[in-house]
Amino acid sequence: SAEFLWTMEATLATVMARGGVTAYEVAETTTGDKLVGLAYAHPLADKVPYQATVTGEWVHRVVSSSTVEAEHTGLVHSAPGHGPEDFELGQTLGLPVFSPVDGRGHFTNEAGVYADKPVKEADAVIIEDLRAANALFAAETLVHAYGHCWRCKTPILYRATVQWFLRVAPIKAKMVDEVRRVAWYPEWAGAARQMDWTQNLRDWCLSRQRYWGIPLPIWRCTKCGHWIVVGSSDALRKAQGYADGMDLHRPGIDRVVLPCPRCREEMRRVPDILDVWWDSGVASWASLGYPARDDEFRRWWPEDWIVEGPDQTRGWFNSQLAAGVVAFDRAPYDSVLMHGWVNGPDGRQMHKSLGNVIEPETVVRKFGVDALRFYMLSVNALWDDKTFQEDGVRNANRTLNILWNVLRFATTYMVLDRFDPTTPDFASISGHLRPEDRWLLSRLEGLKMTVNAEFATYSLHRAFRSVESFILDDLSRWYVKLVRGRTWTEAEDRDKLAAYHVLFETLRTVAVLLAPVTPFIAEAVYQRLDGKKLSVHLLDWPSAQEERLQPDLERSMSIVQ
Ligand SMILES: [Zn+2]
Ligand SMILES: [Zn+2]
């Protein structure tokens, strides 16, 4: 007796071979779209009563899907209750979401004869039932990727459950506008990455079936199903089970019962908690106590600037954007810096198994924390990944040592001569400045301008490389050499005092410029020079005095050099 099978033409021979069929002929050839709508009898309808009774236009019919790969027979079975693609397809076709599996991974009573069996243990029974129903063409084991619990490595399975979502469609256009409004560093973090993510954003599943977290503030009537969102604890004040000052988390909150405004029956809280990313999304105002109070909120909100890594495009950058647009019709931040990753010396992610892990503490013990920070911020742009090289930290350490040597040179003679920068003050010795003095002051003003301009775009690497080359080339290798002889003369020499003033002002300014990146050496330099303030970090940030810029003198000096 002949049997008829539908299979994909391209794989006909291999499919037949795998089914153990040697003699066959092609009875009919058609295109896949012609099969759409073809009905089939469910092979296990007598085992699973649901399959015998379920109705719907597309139930037990062939449908078309772009998510099915053109391999094997080209035909797969679809389970809208057990996977996102099948679920989506089922939604468009009106297929019921059948998911007869409980939270333990056991079949429920809806699964008929398979009820109570762990899903994977039922596989063998189902295969035998299919064989007995003469509905099995071939059975074999395929090796493929499969989802596992990241903690305990248990195989997991998709199961359709009831969840609460943030509907993104009504806020997406505003979110896109806000991505455009916010200043991103680098620019592509917003224009490319965040924009791409936001434009493709799907509804956000906000509910979690966990214990610790912010309780979902939704109460639902146990009788008529009416539900309300509770906006504040005030709305619970008269509820049964509520007490002033109570902990609003689980388990106490689950005992708070409201009367249903429709049918007067009990309303109970939906037992879910919120996705922790929602907590992160509201952090900018929740941390200021808003809306319970608004004084701090009015003072500090919105955030001028936030900084995080590229993993936060879908994380914190996104959660704040969505929550901000929902609550305030705007992103809660005005600018974002997205930093890169630090990789091992081999350029790969640091992993214990690769043996390329470098603990910051080890480097700090060897070179000090200032050298490590100076290296990290000057080696490349903040948003580029770093391939960590210890030599770079060694060089940074050397630069800071050279600064220290310049300080020692300057202060040794200043102390011997009891130099006081206020008597005589800078104005009264300015007539005694030599060209090299005016040159260094001009370079110093240029350095301030460069650093400030680079800071404005978070190009810290260029800012601190400028500081580094100023210390090495202008200050140590050139100016100190030129003025060495002037420091050996007698005490009240104005020419010498001019050099002291220039060294004093230069080192003090460099200390301030370095304070954000190398706070310890900056403090030590400042305290040995002046120390009038408690800390270098209490000084004003330097702005350039453009009248001191002498481009002609700088040009002449570069010829001399
Ligand atoms: Zn697990
Ligand atoms: Zn009700």
PDB file of all heavy atoms in Angstrom, residues 252-277:
ATOM      1  N   GLY A 252       4.467  41.543  53.705  1.00  0.00           N
ATOM      2  CA  GLY A 252       3.406  42.362  54.289  1.00  0.00           C
ATOM      3  C   GLY A 252       2.443  42.913  53.259  1.00  0.00           C
ATOM      4  O   GLY A 252       1.222  42.883  53.443  1.00  0.00           O
ATOM      5  N   ILE A 253       2.974  43.408  52.155  1.00  0.00           N
ATOM      6  CA  ILE A 253       2.140  44.072  51.150  1.00  0.00           C
ATOM      7  C   ILE A 253       1.120  43.112  50.543  1.00  0.00           C
ATOM      8  O   ILE A 253       0.048  43.524  50.106  1.00  0.00           O
ATOM      9  CB  ILE A 253       3.044  44.706  50.054  1.00  0.00           C
ATOM     10  CG1 ILE A 253       2.260  45.711  49.211  1.00  0.00           C
ATOM     11  CG2 ILE A 253       3.686  43.653  49.176  1.00  0.00           C
ATOM     12  CD1 ILE A 253       1.873  46.978  49.938  1.00  0.00           C
ATOM     13  N   ASP A 254       1.461  41.817  50.530  1.00  0.00           N
ATOM     14  CA  ASP A 254       0.540  40.836  49.936  1.00  0.00           C
ATOM     15  C   ASP A 254      -0.699  40.618  50.799  1.00  0.00           C
ATOM     16  O   ASP A 254      -1.673  40.022  50.346  1.00  0.00           O
ATOM     17  CB  ASP A 254       1.260  39.497  49.717  1.00  0.00           C
ATOM     18  CG  ASP A 254       2.355  39.618  48.668  1.00  0.00           C
ATOM     19  OD1 ASP A 254       2.321  40.596  47.894  1.00  0.00           O
ATOM     20  OD2 ASP A 254       3.242  38.743  48.626  1.00  0.00           O
ATOM     21  N   ARG A 255      -0.646  41.084  52.052  1.00  0.00           N
ATOM     22  CA  ARG A 255      -1.799  40.901  52.943  1.00  0.00           C
ATOM     23  C   ARG A 255      -2.718  42.120  52.934  1.00  0.00           C
ATOM     24  O   ARG A 255      -3.720  42.153  53.627  1.00  0.00           O
ATOM     25  CB  ARG A 255      -1.311  40.613  54.368  1.00  0.00           C
ATOM     26  CG  ARG A 255      -0.615  39.248  54.473  1.00  0.00           C
ATOM     27  CD  ARG A 255      -0.425  38.818  55.916  1.00  0.00           C
ATOM     28  NE  ARG A 255       0.674  39.529  56.563  1.00  0.00           N
ATOM     29  CZ  ARG A 255       1.941  39.074  56.587  1.00  0.00           C
ATOM     30  NH1 ARG A 255       2.249  37.920  56.010  1.00  0.00           N
ATOM     31  NH2 ARG A 255       2.879  39.757  57.195  1.00  0.00           N
ATOM     32  N   VAL A 256      -2.341  43.143  52.143  1.00  0.00           N
ATOM     33  CA  VAL A 256      -3.186  44.343  52.052  1.00  0.00           C
ATOM     34  C   VAL A 256      -4.301  44.079  51.033  1.00  0.00           C
ATOM     35  O   VAL A 256      -4.026  43.753  49.883  1.00  0.00           O
ATOM     36  CB  VAL A 256      -2.349  45.569  51.638  1.00  0.00           C
ATOM     37  CG1 VAL A 256      -3.253  46.776  51.403  1.00  0.00           C
ATOM     38  CG2 VAL A 256      -1.295  45.867  52.696  1.00  0.00           C
ATOM     39  N   VAL A 257      -5.539  44.193  51.497  1.00  0.00           N
ATOM     40  CA  VAL A 257      -6.698  43.859  50.657  1.00  0.00           C
ATOM     41  C   VAL A 257      -7.561  45.099  50.467  1.00  0.00           C
ATOM     42  O   VAL A 257      -7.868  45.807  51.424  1.00  0.00           O
ATOM     43  CB  VAL A 257      -7.539  42.735  51.313  1.00  0.00           C
ATOM     44  CG1 VAL A 257      -8.760  42.428  50.465  1.00  0.00           C
ATOM     45  CG2 VAL A 257      -6.680  41.489  51.503  1.00  0.00           C
ATOM     46  N   LEU A 258      -7.918  45.388  49.213  1.00  0.00           N
ATOM     47  CA  LEU A 258      -8.767  46.544  48.894  1.00  0.00           C
ATOM     48  C   LEU A 258     -10.156  46.060  48.484  1.00  0.00           C
ATOM     49  O   LEU A 258     -10.289  44.969  47.938  1.00  0.00           O
ATOM     50  CB  LEU A 258      -8.157  47.333  47.733  1.00  0.00           C
ATOM     51  CG  LEU A 258      -6.876  48.118  48.011  1.00  0.00           C
ATOM     52  CD1 LEU A 258      -6.221  48.529  46.700  1.00  0.00           C
ATOM     53  CD2 LEU A 258      -7.174  49.339  48.869  1.00  0.00           C
ATOM     54  N   PRO A 259     -11.184  46.898  48.717  1.00  0.00           N
ATOM     55  CA  PRO A 259     -12.521  46.528  48.233  1.00  0.00           C
ATOM     56  C   PRO A 259     -12.653  46.872  46.747  1.00  0.00           C
ATOM     57  O   PRO A 259     -12.185  47.915  46.311  1.00  0.00           O
ATOM     58  CB  PRO A 259     -13.452  47.399  49.079  1.00  0.00           C
ATOM     59  CG  PRO A 259     -12.627  48.580  49.470  1.00  0.00           C
ATOM     60  CD  PRO A 259     -11.183  48.165  49.475  1.00  0.00           C
ATOM     61  N   CYS A 260     -13.282  45.992  45.981  1.00  0.00           N
ATOM     62  CA  CYS A 260     -13.452  46.250  44.550  1.00  0.00           C
ATOM     63  C   CYS A 260     -14.507  47.338  44.350  1.00  0.00           C
ATOM     64  O   CYS A 260     -15.613  47.227  44.864  1.00  0.00           O
ATOM     65  CB  CYS A 260     -13.876  44.973  43.821  1.00  0.00           C
ATOM     66  SG  CYS A 260     -14.253  45.254  42.075  1.00  0.00           S
ATOM     67  N   PRO A 261     -14.176  48.417  43.628  1.00  0.00           N
ATOM     68  CA  PRO A 261     -15.158  49.493  43.420  1.00  0.00           C
ATOM     69  C   PRO A 261     -16.334  49.041  42.540  1.00  0.00           C
ATOM     70  O   PRO A 261     -17.377  49.685  42.539  1.00  0.00           O
ATOM     71  CB  PRO A 261     -14.344  50.588  42.732  1.00  0.00           C
ATOM     72  CG  PRO A 261     -13.170  49.904  42.140  1.00  0.00           C
ATOM     73  CD  PRO A 261     -12.897  48.686  42.970  1.00  0.00           C
ATOM     74  N   ARG A 262     -16.178  47.948  41.830  1.00  0.00           N
ATOM     75  CA  ARG A 262     -17.250  47.477  40.949  1.00  0.00           C
ATOM     76  C   ARG A 262     -18.216  46.554  41.678  1.00  0.00           C
ATOM     77  O   ARG A 262     -19.422  46.724  41.588  1.00  0.00           O
ATOM     78  CB  ARG A 262     -16.643  46.703  39.763  1.00  0.00           C
ATOM     79  CG  ARG A 262     -15.855  47.575  38.814  1.00  0.00           C
ATOM     80  CD  ARG A 262     -16.560  47.701  37.466  1.00  0.00           C
ATOM     81  NE  ARG A 262     -15.865  48.659  36.614  1.00  0.00           N
ATOM     82  CZ  ARG A 262     -15.041  48.305  35.642  1.00  0.00           C
ATOM     83  NH1 ARG A 262     -14.834  47.026  35.380  1.00  0.00           N
ATOM     84  NH2 ARG A 262     -14.444  49.224  34.916  1.00  0.00           N
ATOM     85  N   CYS A 263     -17.632  45.524  42.362  1.00  0.00           N
ATOM     86  CA  CYS A 263     -18.521  44.492  42.916  1.00  0.00           C
ATOM     87  C   CYS A 263     -18.361  44.317  44.423  1.00  0.00           C
ATOM     88  O   CYS A 263     -18.986  43.444  45.006  1.00  0.00           O
ATOM     89  CB  CYS A 263     -18.300  43.158  42.197  1.00  0.00           C
ATOM     90  SG  CYS A 263     -16.751  42.343  42.648  1.00  0.00           S
ATOM     91  N   ARG A 264     -17.526  45.145  45.062  1.00  0.00           N
ATOM     92  CA  ARG A 264     -17.309  45.125  46.511  1.00  0.00           C
ATOM     93  C   ARG A 264     -16.625  43.859  47.013  1.00  0.00           C
ATOM     94  O   ARG A 264     -16.481  43.677  48.212  1.00  0.00           O
ATOM     95  CB  ARG A 264     -18.619  45.346  47.305  1.00  0.00           C
ATOM     96  CG  ARG A 264     -19.457  46.545  46.871  1.00  0.00           C
ATOM     97  CD  ARG A 264     -18.698  47.823  46.708  1.00  0.00           C
ATOM     98  NE  ARG A 264     -18.030  48.317  47.916  1.00  0.00           N
ATOM     99  CZ  ARG A 264     -17.117  49.299  47.930  1.00  0.00           C
ATOM    100  NH1 ARG A 264     -16.740  49.860  46.798  1.00  0.00           N
ATOM    101  NH2 ARG A 264     -16.578  49.698  49.055  1.00  0.00           N
ATOM    102  N   GLU A 265     -16.189  42.990  46.114  1.00  0.00           N
ATOM    103  CA  GLU A 265     -15.437  41.808  46.549  1.00  0.00           C
ATOM    104  C   GLU A 265     -13.996  42.223  46.878  1.00  0.00           C
ATOM    105  O   GLU A 265     -13.622  43.379  46.707  1.00  0.00           O
ATOM    106  CB  GLU A 265     -15.444  40.744  45.442  1.00  0.00           C
ATOM    107  CG  GLU A 265     -16.541  39.690  45.579  1.00  0.00           C
ATOM    108  CD  GLU A 265     -16.501  38.952  46.911  1.00  0.00           C
ATOM    109  OE1 GLU A 265     -15.390  38.568  47.338  1.00  0.00           O
ATOM    110  OE2 GLU A 265     -17.582  38.767  47.527  1.00  0.00           O
ATOM    111  N   GLU A 266     -13.166  41.282  47.287  1.00  0.00           N
ATOM    112  CA  GLU A 266     -11.782  41.585  47.656  1.00  0.00           C
ATOM    113  C   GLU A 266     -10.895  41.779  46.424  1.00  0.00           C
ATOM    114  O   GLU A 266     -10.973  41.006  45.474  1.00  0.00           O
ATOM    115  CB  GLU A 266     -11.196  40.410  48.456  1.00  0.00           C
ATOM    116  CG  GLU A 266     -11.685  40.331  49.874  1.00  0.00           C
ATOM    117  CD  GLU A 266     -10.914  39.266  50.654  1.00  0.00           C
ATOM    118  OE1 GLU A 266     -10.230  38.444  50.007  1.00  0.00           O
ATOM    119  OE2 GLU A 266     -10.997  39.289  51.889  1.00  0.00           O
ATOM    120  N   MET A 267     -10.048  42.805  46.488  1.00  0.00           N
ATOM    121  CA  MET A 267      -9.003  42.948  45.467  1.00  0.00           C
ATOM    122  C   MET A 267      -7.685  42.574  46.130  1.00  0.00           C
ATOM    123  O   MET A 267      -7.369  43.059  47.215  1.00  0.00           O
ATOM    124  CB  MET A 267      -8.912  44.386  44.963  1.00  0.00           C
ATOM    125  CG  MET A 267     -10.160  44.898  44.287  1.00  0.00           C
ATOM    126  SD  MET A 267      -9.851  46.532  43.582  1.00  0.00           S
ATOM    127  CE  MET A 267      -9.418  46.104  41.906  1.00  0.00           C
ATOM    128  N   ARG A 268      -6.921  41.715  45.461  1.00  0.00           N
ATOM    129  CA  ARG A 268      -5.621  41.312  46.006  1.00  0.00           C
ATOM    130  C   ARG A 268      -4.507  41.711  45.044  1.00  0.00           C
ATOM    131  O   ARG A 268      -4.731  41.840  43.846  1.00  0.00           O
ATOM    132  CB  ARG A 268      -5.594  39.800  46.253  1.00  0.00           C
ATOM    133  CG  ARG A 268      -6.491  39.411  47.405  1.00  0.00           C
ATOM    134  CD  ARG A 268      -6.320  37.977  47.844  1.00  0.00           C
ATOM    135  NE  ARG A 268      -7.073  37.747  49.072  1.00  0.00           N
ATOM    136  CZ  ARG A 268      -6.571  37.965  50.294  1.00  0.00           C
ATOM    137  NH1 ARG A 268      -5.326  38.383  50.440  1.00  0.00           N
ATOM    138  NH2 ARG A 268      -7.318  37.752  51.364  1.00  0.00           N
ATOM    139  N   ARG A 269      -3.323  41.875  45.606  1.00  0.00           N
ATOM    140  CA  ARG A 269      -2.202  42.312  44.770  1.00  0.00           C
ATOM    141  C   ARG A 269      -1.781  41.198  43.819  1.00  0.00           C
ATOM    142  O   ARG A 269      -1.696  40.032  44.212  1.00  0.00           O
ATOM    143  CB  ARG A 269      -1.007  42.711  45.644  1.00  0.00           C
ATOM    144  CG  ARG A 269       0.059  43.515  44.902  1.00  0.00           C
ATOM    145  CD  ARG A 269       1.238  43.830  45.797  1.00  0.00           C
ATOM    146  NE  ARG A 269       2.077  42.667  46.031  1.00  0.00           N
ATOM    147  CZ  ARG A 269       2.991  42.212  45.168  1.00  0.00           C
ATOM    148  NH1 ARG A 269       3.178  42.820  44.014  1.00  0.00           N
ATOM    149  NH2 ARG A 269       3.709  41.151  45.453  1.00  0.00           N
ATOM    150  N   VAL A 270      -1.505  41.564  42.567  1.00  0.00           N
ATOM    151  CA  VAL A 270      -0.864  40.625  41.640  1.00  0.00           C
ATOM    152  C   VAL A 270       0.491  40.306  42.264  1.00  0.00           C
ATOM    153  O   VAL A 270       1.267  41.220  42.536  1.00  0.00           O
ATOM    154  CB  VAL A 270      -0.687  41.271  40.247  1.00  0.00           C
ATOM    155  CG1 VAL A 270       0.137  40.383  39.340  1.00  0.00           C
ATOM    156  CG2 VAL A 270      -2.046  41.587  39.640  1.00  0.00           C
ATOM    157  N   PRO A 271       0.802  39.037  42.541  1.00  0.00           N
ATOM    158  CA  PRO A 271       1.962  38.744  43.402  1.00  0.00           C
ATOM    159  C   PRO A 271       3.333  39.003  42.777  1.00  0.00           C
ATOM    160  O   PRO A 271       4.348  38.808  43.435  1.00  0.00           O
ATOM    161  CB  PRO A 271       1.782  37.248  43.725  1.00  0.00           C
ATOM    162  CG  PRO A 271       0.896  36.723  42.656  1.00  0.00           C
ATOM    163  CD  PRO A 271       0.031  37.844  42.187  1.00  0.00           C
ATOM    164  N   ASP A 272       3.388  39.472  41.545  1.00  0.00           N
ATOM    165  CA  ASP A 272       4.684  39.692  40.895  1.00  0.00           C
ATOM    166  C   ASP A 272       5.435  40.887  41.491  1.00  0.00           C
ATOM    167  O   ASP A 272       4.853  41.730  42.160  1.00  0.00           O
ATOM    168  CB  ASP A 272       4.487  39.959  39.395  1.00  0.00           C
ATOM    169  CG  ASP A 272       3.848  38.773  38.693  1.00  0.00           C
ATOM    170  OD1 ASP A 272       3.878  37.666  39.261  1.00  0.00           O
ATOM    171  OD2 ASP A 272       3.310  38.974  37.594  1.00  0.00           O
ATOM    172  N   ILE A 273       6.734  40.914  41.206  1.00  0.00           N
ATOM    173  CA  ILE A 273       7.525  42.115  41.502  1.00  0.00           C
ATOM    174  C   ILE A 273       7.976  42.721  40.176  1.00  0.00           C
ATOM    175  O   ILE A 273       7.812  42.117  39.116  1.00  0.00           O
ATOM    176  CB  ILE A 273       8.753  41.806  42.392  1.00  0.00           C
ATOM    177  CG1 ILE A 273       9.701  40.835  41.690  1.00  0.00           C
ATOM    178  CG2 ILE A 273       8.308  41.277  43.742  1.00  0.00           C
ATOM    179  CD1 ILE A 273      11.096  40.831  42.253  1.00  0.00           C
ATOM    180  N   LEU A 274       8.574  43.928  40.253  1.00  0.00           N
ATOM    181  CA  LEU A 274       9.031  44.618  39.044  1.00  0.00           C
ATOM    182  C   LEU A 274      10.427  44.158  38.644  1.00  0.00           C
ATOM    183  O   LEU A 274      11.268  43.870  39.495  1.00  0.00           O
ATOM    184  CB  LEU A 274       9.078  46.127  39.294  1.00  0.00           C
ATOM    185  CG  LEU A 274       7.763  46.888  39.219  1.00  0.00           C
ATOM    186  CD1 LEU A 274       7.950  48.287  39.801  1.00  0.00           C
ATOM    187  CD2 LEU A 274       7.287  46.983  37.771  1.00  0.00           C
ATOM    188  N   ASP A 275      10.661  44.129  37.350  1.00  0.00           N
ATOM    189  CA  ASP A 275      11.998  43.937  36.798  1.00  0.00           C
ATOM    190  C   ASP A 275      12.942  44.957  37.454  1.00  0.00           C
ATOM    191  O   ASP A 275      12.617  46.142  37.529  1.00  0.00           O
ATOM    192  CB  ASP A 275      11.911  44.197  35.282  1.00  0.00           C
ATOM    193  CG  ASP A 275      13.254  44.098  34.586  1.00  0.00           C
ATOM    194  OD1 ASP A 275      14.229  43.658  35.222  1.00  0.00           O
ATOM    195  OD2 ASP A 275      13.315  44.458  33.398  1.00  0.00           O
ATOM    196  N   VAL A 276      14.112  44.498  37.937  1.00  0.00           N
ATOM    197  CA  VAL A 276      15.028  45.439  38.610  1.00  0.00           C
ATOM    198  C   VAL A 276      15.485  46.560  37.679  1.00  0.00           C
ATOM    199  O   VAL A 276      15.906  47.620  38.134  1.00  0.00           O
ATOM    200  CB  VAL A 276      16.289  44.750  39.183  1.00  0.00           C
ATOM    201  CG1 VAL A 276      15.954  43.956  40.417  1.00  0.00           C
ATOM    202  CG2 VAL A 276      16.981  43.914  38.138  1.00  0.00           C
ATOM    203  N   TRP A 277      15.398  46.322  36.368  1.00  0.00           N
ATOM    204  CA  TRP A 277      15.788  47.401  35.455  1.00  0.00           C
ATOM    205  C   TRP A 277      14.823  48.577  35.553  1.00  0.00           C
ATOM    206  O   TRP A 277      15.173  49.697  35.204  1.00  0.00           O
ATOM    207  CB  TRP A 277      15.886  46.892  34.014  1.00  0.00           C
ATOM    208  CG  TRP A 277      17.146  46.117  33.815  1.00  0.00           C
ATOM    209  CD1 TRP A 277      17.279  44.761  33.721  1.00  0.00           C
ATOM    210  CD2 TRP A 277      18.472  46.651  33.717  1.00  0.00           C
ATOM    211  NE1 TRP A 277      18.598  44.432  33.568  1.00  0.00           N
ATOM    212  CE2 TRP A 277      19.350  45.563  33.561  1.00  0.00           C
ATOM    213  CE3 TRP A 277      18.996  47.945  33.752  1.00  0.00           C
ATOM    214  CZ2 TRP A 277      20.725  45.727  33.436  1.00  0.00           C
ATOM    215  CZ3 TRP A 277      20.364  48.102  33.624  1.00  0.00           C
ATOM    216  CH2 TRP A 277      21.212  47.008  33.470  1.00  0.00           C
TER     217      TRP A 277
END
